[in-house]
Amino acid sequence: MRHLGSIILALLLAPATWVLTGIGLSKFAEARADPSGLDIDLAFGLAAMLGAGLCYALLILPRVSPLGLVLAGLGFLGLVVWRVVDLDGFNQAVPADVLDVPLALRNPAEGVAALLAVPLLGTLFSARRWRRHDHPPAEYAAAEYATPAAPSYAGSQTGEYPTVPDLPTAGHPPPPYQPGGNDPTWPFPGDTETTRRF
């Protein structure tokens, strides 16, 4: 479903980006050629380019499947290569004017479309676009980062706790005897060096 939505988005926004870019380029060219209509043509061209930028942003910024974006990028790049390799065939197949703006559909193929194709093709290598979720669902994240519960013992309800079993000493001699050792009751009260000798 994500791939189908990406393809539909590309089919809507990629042609709009192409047409508006072509109109903007044509209007800027007319403004340079005809100084008398400079203000109108420049304003129209600027509005068309801003519209093309908005369509392109809506196409490339959402975290959708890259499938539709890559197809749009291949289409842009393919039209540029077609114009370079076979200009006559390209001019015969692609109409020149749209909305009474001359060369509006052909202008992007002069190089601008190649610039637009690179970010679209680059989404193919974005790992986050292939993932269904940008972050794990809340229940999985909560389970992953939850504080582990303290271990419970059977004797904890009665105040009794398991003791550590004696370690096997097979093959190992016992440690040497040390007076007192870890016995907290040694030395006994009143015990002196003299009494410890006997």
Side-chain angles (χ1 to χ4, degrees), residues 2 7-8 14 23 25 34 36 52 64 73 79 93 100 118 136 145 149 163 168 197-198:
R2 293 178 60 247
I7 293 174
I8 294 174
I23 292 175
L25 292 174
D34 185 11
S36 61
V64 297
L79 288 171
D100 296 329
V118 173
Y145 296 106
T163 58
R197 293 180 180 176
F198 300 99

Side-chain angles (χ1 to χ4, degrees), residues 2 8 14 16 20 25 30 34 37 39 48 52-53 75 85 119-120 130 135 149-150 162 180-181 188 192:
R2 293 178 60 247
I8 294 174
L20 290 174
L25 292 174
E30 290 177 5
D34 185 11
D39 295 336
V85 174
L120 294 173
W130 290 106
H135 299 289
F188 298 102
T192 62

Side-chain angles (χ1 to χ4, degrees), residues 30-177:
E30 290 177 5
R32 289 195 303 268
D34 185 11
S36 61
L38 182 64
D39 295 336
I40 297 176
D41 289 334
L42 276 180
F44 193 14
L46 179 60
M49 295 300 285
L50 290 175
L54 177 61
C55 291
Y56 191 69
L58 293 176
L59 177 63
I60 201 169
L61 290 181
R63 196 185 67 85
V64 297
S65 166
L67 183 58
L69 282 66
V70 170
L71 293 177
L74 290 175
F76 283 0
L77 189 60
L79 288 171
V80 174
V81 173
W82 184 14
R83 186 188 184 283
V84 172
V85 174
D86 185 13
L87 179 59
D88 293 336
F90 176 82
N91 290 335
Q92 291 176 3
V94 178
D97 303 341
V98 62
L99 300 177
D100 296 329
V101 180
L103 302 176
L105 293 181
R106 297 178 183 174
N107 281 335
E110 294 182 359
V112 177
L115 176 65
L116 298 176
V118 173
L120 294 173
L121 295 175
T123 60
L124 181 65
F125 305 99
S126 176
R128 74 181 185 91
R129 288 184 178 270
W130 290 106
R131 292 195 297 263
R132 183 175 297 274
H133 301 287
D134 196 13
H135 299 289
E139 58 270 17
Y140 297 130
E144 181 178 358
Y145 296 106
T147 303
S152 60
Y153 300 101
S156 60
Q157 301 299 327
T158 61
E160 299 177 359
Y161 294 90
T163 58
V164 178
D166 294 335
L167 298 176
T169 58
H172 299 281
Y177 173 76

